[in-house]
Amino acid sequence: MKFQSMEHFKEYFTFLQKFDLQISEIRDKREPAELGPVFKSGYDITHQTPHFSLQFAKHLQILKDLAVIDIIGADPERRKAYLDQAKKLLSLFNRFWENYFRHYPANGENLQDNFLLVIEFAEIFYTDLLEPNKTDAIVTPEFIEDLCDSIREREESLAEFITEITALVKTEGQDSEVEKIGDGKPTPIRIRRYPVFVEGIADQFFKIFKEYFEEKDQQPLFTLLNNNISPKQKLLFNSNGNQLADAFKQLIEANLIVSCNKAELESWIIENFQYVSNAHAKPFTTGYLNGIISSDVKICKSPILTVNRKGFGEPALAAISRNKKGSDSSV
């Protein structure tokens, strides 16, 4: 049997994993202001972010669509292997986010220039600029934010690819089983579960949570929390993304959210929320949320609430003063 070359699939997977870091003259804001602006060689990836390069986003979309076509034309028995490879790659994004949140400096601390090495970036993805002693380049918060944007865009693309191929594989699997179904029994349907709050908690949570949303989003937020009616558009959380994720994590770990597990909670958040960072609305991704909600690493240094329990009494949520919004890198 002659197999397809899968060139588009290979190109897509290479593009997802290869980060074309560049070196630019960047102001080092760590230097005292009274000395005047100091410029040094620093990492830059603005050309591979959706906010600075529409060409990058469009190229990624085209590669993904062509890779799907490759899979459609592949031998059905090989598709599962390709799907497994895609899921394996997705786990690398999870690893990045977990390392990122574990090692990002606390408020007021400067990024070290070896940050990419500390989070094992070159071991997770590919770039030719992180070889030891090859270059001395500073790592700025702006660069890390751009890098995270690039990673989010790739991760979202890969998640879409996996969804499309999974649907294809399932459809073919059902077709192959048609002749075996003769007893007229209905096909079991997997019910998607969503978070349900323990009595009284949804109202407490809303009173704290609503302050982070524009007034127009507050009624849809109330309806979502109490009745699980999804808003027409994702609700914009006007603060750091891991503050929102940490709030939900606290509730589910305190058993104040029931009827779903952490993975289902993460999917629900992705469907219904986005957040602000550096004046841009950012989507939540599976890897980003998994690194916070499903990880045992203590991540959020500026939580928005805490869960209080007094003896065997009813739990109560307490608000914590707001942090400066729109600076996800500081949390």
Side-chain angles (χ1 to χ4, degrees):
M1 175 181 288
K2 182 179 180 181
F3 295 110
Q4 285 186 282
S5 63
M6 305 296 291
E7 286 302 321
H8 296 127
F9 176 83
K10 295 174 183 176
E11 184 179 0
Y12 175 56
F13 264 50
T14 299
F15 191 76
L16 287 174
Q17 299 176 76
K18 185 175 180 180
F19 287 75
D20 182 21
L21 302 186
Q22 295 182 352
I23 299 295
S24 301
E25 287 298 303
I26 298 174
R27 181 180 177 183
D28 189 349
K29 297 179 181 179
R30 297 169 298 184
E31 299 292 342
E34 57 268 19
L35 298 179
V38 177
F39 291 87
K40 298 179 181 179
S41 295
Y43 292 117
D44 180 18
I45 196 172
T46 52
H47 61 292
Q48 285 193 331
T49 64
H51 298 300
F52 292 101
S53 174
L54 294 177
Q55 183 179 11
F56 166 75
K58 188 63 177 178
H59 185 54
L60 184 59
Q61 176 68 40
I62 292 172
L63 286 180
K64 191 267 291 181
D65 291 342
L66 291 174
V68 170
I69 292 174
D70 272 1
I71 299 298
I72 292 174
D75 186 283
E77 294 183 0
R78 303 187 68 196
R79 287 182 190 148
K80 186 178 182 302
Y82 293 124
L83 184 59
D84 289 342
Q85 285 298 312
K87 292 178 179 178
K88 182 178 178 181
L89 176 55
L90 192 62
S91 69
L92 294 182
F93 288 94
N94 293 356
R95 179 183 169 190
F96 165 82
W97 288 116
E98 185 168 339
N99 288 355
Y100 168 81
F101 286 121
R102 179 184 288 117
H103 295 290
Y104 200 94
N107 293 341
E109 297 180 7
N110 288 324
L111 275 167
Q112 298 301 310
D113 293 337
N114 66 345
F115 181 71
L116 294 181
L117 297 176
V118 170
I119 65 173
E120 301 175 337
F121 185 80
E123 297 177 24
I124 300 172
F125 301 114
Y126 171 74
T127 176
D128 59 359
L129 282 184
L130 294 183
E131 298 177 13
N133 303 319
K134 183 172 183 179
T135 183
D136 293 322
I138 64 173
V139 173
T140 65
E142 292 80 8
F143 162 71
I144 293 299
E145 182 65 25
D146 292 338
L147 180 64
C148 288
D149 282 345
S150 187
I151 287 173
R152 287 187 191 96
E153 193 77 1
R154 298 164 199 252
E155 184 185 351
E156 279 200 306
S157 175
L158 181 58
E160 290 176 5
F161 175 83
I162 291 174
T163 298
E164 292 180 34
I165 300 306
T166 299
L168 175 67
V169 171
K170 286 183 177 179
T171 299
E172 291 182 336
Q174 291 172 356
D175 292 342
S176 66
E177 294 292 323
V178 169
E179 295 182 358
K180 299 181 182 180
I181 302 176
D183 55 7
K185 293 181 180 180
T187 302
I189 300 175
R190 185 179 185 276
I191 299 174
R192 295 187 64 188
R193 300 190 297 176
Y194 60 90
V196 174
F197 295 84
V198 171
E199 185 176 358
I201 295 300
D203 288 338
Q204 291 185 44
F205 187 49
F206 174 72
K207 289 178 182 178
I208 297 172
F209 211 40
K210 70 177 182 179
E211 300 301 323
Y212 294 82
F213 295 84
E214 300 295 336
E215 187 174 352
K216 66 180 179 62
D217 284 342
Q218 291 181 5
Q219 183 57 47
L221 174 65
F222 179 85
T223 304
L224 173 65
L225 297 178
N226 284 276
N227 303 313
N228 194 45
I229 298 177
S230 295
K232 294 181 179 179
Q233 296 180 331
K234 291 183 180 182
L235 303 177
L236 183 61
F237 181 74
N238 286 301
S239 196
N240 305 312
N242 42 357
Q243 288 178 303
L244 178 145
D246 174 77
F248 280 106
K249 178 179 181 177
Q250 287 194 59
L251 295 186
I252 196 170
E253 291 191 341
N255 295 319
L256 301 179
I257 285 179
V258 296
S259 83
C260 71
N261 58 34
K262 287 184 175 181
E264 290 164 331
L265 174 62
E266 291 163 9
S267 297
W268 181 82
I269 292 173
I270 290 171
E271 292 174 2
N272 294 294
F273 295 98
Q274 54 187 339
Y275 66 97
V276 170
S277 180
N278 285 357
H280 292 291
K282 303 292 178 66
F284 286 102
T285 64
T286 301
Y288 181 92
L289 290 174
N290 185 265
I292 302 171
I293 295 176
S294 295
S295 172
D296 293 330
V297 179
K298 184 178 180 181
I299 296 164
C300 187
K301 301 178 180 68
S302 300
I304 66 174
L305 62 81
T306 184
V307 178
N308 294 327
R309 289 182 183 272
K310 294 183 179 180
F312 295 99
E314 295 294 326
L317 306 184
I320 298 176
S321 60
R322 295 189 63 171
N323 188 34
K324 182 181 178 182
K325 70 179 182 179
S327 56
D328 184 58
S329 58
S330 67
V331 188

